Structures are given as C-alpha cells and as structure tokens.
Amino acid sequence: MATLELKDLTKKFGDFTAVDGMNLQVEDGEMIALLGGSGCGKTTTLRMIAGFTEPFSGSILVDGKDIGKVPAYKRNVGIFFQNYALFPHMTVYENVAFGLKIQKLPKAEIKERVDHILALVRLFGMEKRYPRELSGGQQQRVALARALVTRPSILLLDEPLSNLDAKLRVEMQVEIKRIQKKLGITTIIVTHDHEEAVSLADRVIVMNAGRILQVGTPKEVFDHPNSQFVADFMGFSTFIKGKVKLELPDRLIVDCSGRDICVTRPEGREVSEGDNCTLAIRSENIAILSDEDMEKLAYDKNALSAQENTLKGRVESVTYKGHSTRIEVSGCFAEPVYPAPIDYTGPGQGGEIMLHLPADKLCIYKN
Amino acid sequence: MERKRSAMLLALPAALALFLFFVCPMVYILVKTIGENGFSDFLDFFSDPFYLDILWTTVRVSLLSTAVSLILGYPTAYYMARTRSRLKNVMMIIILFPFLVSAVVRAYGWMVILGKNGLLNQLLEAIGLISDPLEILNTETAVIIGMIHLLIPYMILSLIGVLQSIDPNVEYAAESLGASPFETFLKVVFPLSLPGIISGCVLVFTMSMTSYATPKLLGGSKFRMMATMVVQEINVNFDWGAASAISYILMAAILLAQLIIVLGTSRYMKRMGGGKNA
C-alpha cells in the first residue's frame, strides 16, 4: 500500500529519449494503465519503477521517499512479466514461495501465505506441478500469485492479458480486478490495448514518444480523446477534414467537403470560426438509416438536428467481422466513412446508403 | 513410429563408421590383449604404484583444469550471453582463436613464456618481484596452464548456449522478489545453467584426460599422464599389452567420471524436464 509519484522522469538511450520528463501521481490503492504503442516509453517507465534500469534524470517517490538509489531487490515492487518469467526449475509452490524464502520467514508462515494466495488465484492443488505442465492461463496466475505473495507496496503488470485467447482474457480481466481491489495494492498496468486499459484501470494515461498525451478516467479517454492521435489510438475509425464555418453557443457548424456538419461544442477546447479541423467518430456511433427512418425524419420537426447530419453515400465494401459488420462508405466526404453496425441487412457493394453522424458523438480537433 | 524409423536411417552412416573404425578395433585390441596375456597387464597396472601414480596425476590435472576452466569461463560466458555489444562477434572470434593454432604450436608458445629465461621470468625479475627464476616449465603447473588455454573455449561455448537460453526476465523476477544479485545467481542462474556446466565439464575433463601433446611438451621428461604413457609403452618399452591395458583403464576412468557427474546431477536435470525445457 503506497502512493507513487514520478517527477520529471527522463530516460535516454544514447541520443534517443525513451521517456521525456514524465510527471505522474498515483494514489494509494489506485489502478492506472499506461497505454501506448510500442516504443512509447511505457515499458521503460515500468522498468525504472522496478529498478531494473536507472533514470537519466528526475525522481521516483514511493510514499514521498525517493527510491532512485535503492537497488531493485530492496524496493518491494512486485512485477508481472508479459512472458510470465516463471522459474522453470521450480514447482508452482516453489515459484510462489521464492520471495518468502528469500525473506527467511518460518516455514509454517510461508506455507500459510502461499496456500492463501494460491486459493485467491484459484490454483489450489497445483502446487507440485512445474510451469511447463501448466496452461498459459494457469502460468499467468502463478506469475500473479508470485508477484502478490510478498505483499509489494506497488504492483507492476506488463501486458497482463496479451498472451491469452479471447475467452481467458475476459476471465483474467475480471480476476485481476477482483484481486487488486481485494488487496488494495497500488497497481500500474502497461498495455498497448485500449480495451484492456479502459476495462481494468481507474485512470488511463495515454503515452506517445515518451510523453503523456492524456490522463483521464477510462470513459473520458474512450469517449473524448483530447487529440487526433489519441482518438486514432483509442479506436476511432473515421476522420474527416473540415473548416469551422459558424460558432453557436452550444454547437459548431463545420464545412466538410462542402457539406455542413453539426458538432456539439467541446468544453474548453479552442476551436473557433475559420479554423481548419478534423472530425473523428467511432464506427459504432455512426447510425445507418433505413427508408422507414428517412420517412419519419421528413415529417418529424423535432428530429431536425438528426436530419442535419444525414448523408447519402455509396457502399464500397462490406466485411463481416462476427460481432459487427464493417462497411466502407464513400461519397459523403473526401474521406471514407466506416460504420460498423451489429446487424447489417442493408445494401451490398455499390448500393446507396444513408448515414447519420450524431452531433454529440463527433469529436473535433484543431489542425 | 514411422517417423522414428526413418530418423534412425539418417543416423545409420555415422553409426556404421563408428562401429567399423572405432568399436571393432577396440574390441580387437581387448580380445588380443586378453588372449595373449590374460588379465596380467591389467593386474600389473593396479599393483604397481608407478602406474597408479600416473593415473592419479592424470585425474588430478584433469580435475584442476576443468575446475579452473569453469571458474574462469563462467563469467566470460555470462557476459557473452547477456551483452548487446556490437563487438560480440569479435569477442566470439577471440574466444575461438585458440582453435586456429594446433596444440603443439600453442605448447611451444607457452615454452617461450614459461621457460627459465622466458618472458614471464624476465618480466617478474625486471619489476623486482623475484630474484631467482621460477621453475614453471616442465612442471605440472605448466601442463595445467597449457591445458586450460587449450580447453577453455569448449567450456565457454557450452556455457554461452545454455546461459543465452535463460530468460533475463527470470533474473529480474528474482530480484523484484527480494533476491540480491548473489542469491539470484545461486538460486536461479546457476541451477538453470547446470546442463551447460555438465556438458562443458564432461567435455573439458574428457579432453584433458586423453591429452597427449600438452603434457608431453610442457610437462618435461619426468612428467607422465595416461596418454603419454601409452605412447611410451609402445615406442620405448615395446609392450603393446601394457599399452592397451592403460588405454582401457583410461577409458574406464573417463566413463566412471561421466557416470558420477550424470548420476550426481540427475535430480536437478529431472527438475528441468530432462533438460528439454531448460
């Protein structure tokens, strides 16, 4: 149980700056996710916190104390590795008991604590197996148990779900969250998967090129990315270039390839009349209108706002993705639009389609 | 099953060559020796302190060479396994350099260095550490030095392979769990590198037990090891029976040593999944 603070943390490899003046505060018991693509500095940050590599400058404070000069083995930071890094020559029991044996605890206490943690990760009865005799999911839970059993003040998880199949992923997501909440350990997850980040963490930190781009709750980051880069990384699929034509108190009218698109005005973001901008929207937020819907709209004066962002386009391709269908639509703007309805029964390639972009689901970024 | 059988066919040419040119002559020698003299050549060996002393010298020199090669080779191998230096290939060539020169030439090199008026004595005298030259050449020490120089690349190569296969994250994991670098070595790196240690030691020990040129050239006329004794029995004493008995006893000693090593470490090897997943 501890607070963690990174102050101006910087790491350089030769000329390359992997982490660039990072500032971050993590509350006691909080679970945060460092989210970013490969080479964004998230793993380097993790390794600096663990003490495997030294910062170039800046400091790492645990409970207010600078641990920069403390060697890794005295930091009491638990770490979970992407490839689990279990000791191949030890049984499950020995793997988990390793840290406690190093602390020279009495045998009875070691047994009690190992049994307790194995029950927590639901691996009871597997003590005598070797890692190579376990499935990927079981190995992962051994790694988690091993990192937790020493009661670290901070827990670091490096891509905890990346090596698992879809079903196990969901299961482990729930498991990790349950255990973390139960033990109340301050936890940092490193991941490149935005779904993993938003589903696990209390707070998400989006990184790129060694810098923090956005900090926020999963919902904030998922629904309102603060830059086009973050939007792209968070899975926004459709990006449309335009120019702000008119500023109204609660909305902006944007001229996109000659069409007027209405956007709910974002809080505190400086986009004003005459600015070149980019609009972004998630696939699942783009509505497809049937002829019936169109008819209703024509007579319904209240649906005016909806009518405003209604566009006609041509279907370029239809790709069935299982849980949804990805459609490429051209002709609305210079850029293609990608709706992804769950149940698609509309026209196929070459057909005409009506789309609606809800004003409140559009994010706007100044170029 | 089908696949196993065809794999066996692939091993056939080498197996056949070994059988024809190694097993057959060895059996022939044994049969001929026992046929002519019974077991007297073997009994003579074990009842003569002169021979027993040679056997003991051979084992002692080999054990020391193996131990020193391991101690000197391990840190080098560890560094080589972990370094990301661009010079790694250059370092590898330097390690393999002794292979480019024959054992005889290398022994002559050591003679120049270790001799009474050799480079080492000149150096030590020049800096005033000694007043009389050290007697190194033509002693057991010279043989061990030459042997280590000859065999350490085998040790390093065996160790590099196995150390490279150890995931660095496993070491980090141990450290994050509170193990000091020394504890990490003792409880993680060392046991995981055991297969490499065993193969390196068996290789170096065996080659040292059977070496001829190095003890012959660096040990002087009074220094004898098993292999030099075999040649002496044939060329000087014309006693082929004694020579073949010594060869067989040397082979038995090596097999016994290997057996002890393998049995002594079988518990560990079993943990590593028979070495398969190590």
Side-chain angles (χ1 to χ4, degrees):
Chain A
M1 323 291 122
T3 61
L4 173 72
E5 193 179 349
L6 307 181
K7 269 191 185 162
D8 223 17
L9 198 64
T10 301
K11 176 76 188 179
K12 289 185 182 181
F13 296 107
D15 292 336
F16 175 68
T17 306
V19 177
D20 195 357
M22 186 160 164
N23 284 293
L24 181 67
Q25 235 168 336
V26 188
E27 297 303 316
D28 187 11
E30 194 182 16
M31 192 168 199
I32 67 155
L34 298 181
L35 174 64
S38 59
C40 75
K42 58 192 195 301
T43 300
T44 307
T45 307
L46 203 73
R47 291 169 57 86
M48 282 192 280
I49 298 169
F52 301 151
T53 182
E54 261 181 66
F56 175 79
S57 64
S59 48
I60 302 164
L61 301 129
V62 173
D63 280 333
K65 270 177 276 181
D66 191 342
I67 58 164
K69 291 276 173 285
V70 180
Y73 68 98
K74 286 184 182 159
R75 284 197 185 185
N76 196 24
V77 169
I79 180 159
F80 170 99
F81 292 91
Q82 184 172 10
N83 62 355
Y84 317 139
L86 297 175
F87 305 125
H89 59 306
M90 297 184 196
T91 61
V92 168
Y93 185 91
E94 289 165 327
N95 262 283
V96 178
F98 184 87
L100 303 175
K101 277 186 191 151
I102 293 287
Q103 291 176 13
K104 300 204 166 58
L105 295 179
K107 264 203 166 128
E109 193 188 339
I110 293 180
K111 175 145 183 28
E112 195 192 314
R113 279 172 66 173
V114 172
D115 285 352
H116 177 254
I117 204 86
L118 285 179
L120 192 69
V121 299
R122 301 181 189 178
L123 273 178
F124 214 72
M126 303 269 184
E127 292 91 338
K128 292 210 173 101
R129 303 249 191 118
Y130 284 95
R132 61 176 175 276
E133 299 166 341
L134 301 177
S135 70
Q138 288 168 334
Q139 288 184 24
Q140 181 160 47
R141 279 178 283 167
V142 176
L144 193 61
R146 185 180 66 176
L148 288 168
V149 77
T150 52
R151 296 174 188 157
S153 45
I154 289 165
L155 178 64
L156 308 173
L157 306 173
D158 188 3
E159 305 274 2
L161 304 173
S162 64
N163 286 342
L164 297 180
D165 59 59
K167 190 166 170 278
L168 261 177
R169 248 164 156 5
V170 178
E171 213 170 278
M172 280 309 293
Q173 241 169 39
V174 176
E175 202 90 324
I176 288 175
K177 195 138 194 173
R178 176 178 69 87
I179 293 166
Q180 194 264 343
K181 285 285 165 262
K182 184 160 179 175
L183 301 177
I185 296 180
T186 309
T187 305
I188 298 175
I189 304 164
V190 154
T191 178
H192 65 274
D193 179 350
H194 66 271
E195 280 174 26
E196 191 171 317
V198 296
S199 61
L200 280 171
D202 301 320
R203 216 149 42 105
V204 176
I205 286 107
V206 186
M207 291 180 71
N208 185 46
R211 289 175 174 278
I212 294 179
L213 297 182
Q214 186 172 6
V215 179
T217 65
K219 200 161 169 47
E220 281 165 11
V221 177
F222 195 76
D223 290 340
H224 302 289
N226 66 358
S227 66
Q228 197 182 328
F229 181 88
V230 177
D232 192 18
F233 199 79
M234 296 306 293
F236 280 64
S237 57
T238 300
F239 294 90
I240 308 151
K241 284 205 160 61
K243 191 173 191 170
V244 181
K245 197 169 160 187
L246 190 62
E247 264 183 281
L248 297 171
D250 59 337
R251 52 177 45 191
L252 301 166
I253 307 297
V254 183
D255 176 7
C256 301
S257 316
R259 286 170 196 263
D260 286 352
I261 296 294
C262 182
V263 183
T264 304
R265 196 171 185 159
E267 281 166 44
R269 239 170 276 147
E270 290 154 24
V271 191
S272 42
E273 224 170 283
D275 283 346
N276 284 322
C277 62
T278 300
L279 302 182
I281 187 164
R282 268 179 197 290
S283 292
E284 57 267 34
N285 289 334
I286 302 173
I288 293 171
L289 305 175
S290 61
D291 294 345
E292 236 172 272
D293 293 331
M294 289 306 295
E295 241 166 77
K296 259 189 227 161
L297 279 175
Y299 295 106
D300 188 354
K301 295 274 183 277
N302 293 331
L304 197 69
S305 64
Q307 223 174 342
E308 273 171 346
N309 286 355
T310 303
L311 310 148
K312 189 189 278 182
R314 198 174 66 250
V315 177
E316 288 293 329
S317 69
V318 178
T319 314
Y320 182 62
K321 308 264 278 184
H323 51 86
S324 65
T325 306
R326 181 188 153 97
I327 305 168
E328 183 181 340
V329 179
S330 68
C332 304
F333 311 104
E335 301 85 358
V337 179
Y338 299 97
I342 293 167
D343 258 326
Y344 183 66
T345 49
Q349 196 182 343
E352 252 182 21
I353 194 168
M354 291 300 290
L355 301 177
H356 171 56
L357 311 179
D360 60 334
K361 302 290 187 198
L362 280 164
C363 295
I364 182 162
Y365 305 105
K366 190 173 163 179
N367 284 355
Chain B
M1 229 39 227
E2 197 50 41
R3 212 176 160 78
K4 262 189 191 160
R5 208 169 298 149
S6 48
M8 255 167 74
L9 277 176
L10 292 175
L12 207 61
L16 211 64
L18 266 180
F19 183 77
L20 274 178
F21 302 116
F22 178 69
V23 178
C24 288
M26 286 301 285
V27 171
Y28 172 75
I29 289 169
L30 187 67
V31 169
K32 196 168 158 68
T33 306
I34 294 173
E36 279 176 10
N37 307 333
F39 287 96
S40 66
D41 288 313
F42 290 89
L43 293 174
D44 284 351
F45 183 96
F46 286 109
S47 55
D48 191 339
F50 171 76
Y51 286 122
L52 290 177
D53 188 52
I54 292 172
L55 177 61
W56 170 231
T57 304
T58 309
V59 172
R60 186 177 58 226
V61 167
S62 303
L63 282 177
L64 274 168
S65 307
T66 308
V68 177
S69 298
L70 177 62
I71 293 166
L72 292 182
Y74 203 103
T76 313
Y78 185 82
Y79 174 77
M80 289 293 292
R82 287 287 179 261
T83 185
R84 288 193 199 152
S85 166
R86 273 171 295 169
L87 296 176
K88 190 172 174 173
N89 286 333
V90 177
M91 291 185 238
M92 204 67 182
I93 290 168
I94 292 171
I95 287 170
L96 295 176
F97 226 73
F99 288 154
L100 300 180
V101 185
S102 89
V104 177
V105 177
R106 263 180 285 175
Y108 276 107
W110 281 110
M111 286 166 144
V112 173
I113 296 169
L114 301 175
K116 205 160 195 162
N117 295 311
L119 291 170
L120 182 70
N121 276 325
Q122 283 179 21
L123 180 77
L124 291 177
E125 273 176 74
I127 57 176
L129 272 178
I130 52 167
S131 49
D132 296 317
L134 295 172
E135 288 280 354
I136 302 177
L137 191 64
N138 300 334
T139 65
E140 191 172 314
T141 312
V143 176
I144 294 174
I145 290 173
M147 208 82 98
I148 292 166
H149 179 219
L150 188 71
L151 300 176
I152 205 166
Y154 293 99
M155 181 66 85
I156 293 175
L157 287 181
S158 301
L159 291 171
I160 285 179
V162 92
L163 286 170
Q164 258 169 351
S165 73
I166 301 175
D167 176 8
N169 277 351
V170 166
E171 289 172 56
Y172 286 131
E175 273 184 53
S176 78
L177 291 166
S180 66
F182 181 67
E183 281 170 315
T184 302
F185 172 76
L186 215 61
K187 294 184 178 194
V188 178
V189 179
F190 179 75
L192 286 177
S193 64
L194 213 56
I197 295 175
I198 292 169
S199 62
C201 285
V202 166
L203 208 59
V204 170
F205 182 78
T206 306
M207 294 180 77
S208 158
M209 286 285 281
T210 56
S211 65
Y212 172 75
T214 307
K216 183 84 191 161
L217 294 172
L218 296 177
S221 55
K222 280 184 222 130
F223 184 81
R224 291 183 185 87
M225 277 171 69
M226 293 292 270
T228 61
M229 200 57 214
V230 172
V231 176
Q232 191 180 335
E233 292 290 359
I234 295 171
N235 285 353
V236 181
N237 304 343
F238 305 111
D239 190 344
W240 286 73
S244 73
I246 296 171
S247 317
Y248 261 92
I249 290 162
L250 175 58
M251 194 166 78
I254 293 168
L255 286 175
L256 186 71
Q258 292 184 354
L259 195 72
I260 292 170
I261 291 177
V262 169
L263 286 182
T265 52
S266 67
R267 204 171 61 95
Y268 269 110
M269 296 298 272
K270 216 171 164 183
R271 296 197 127 209
M272 320 266 292
K276 264 178 291 187
N277 294 300

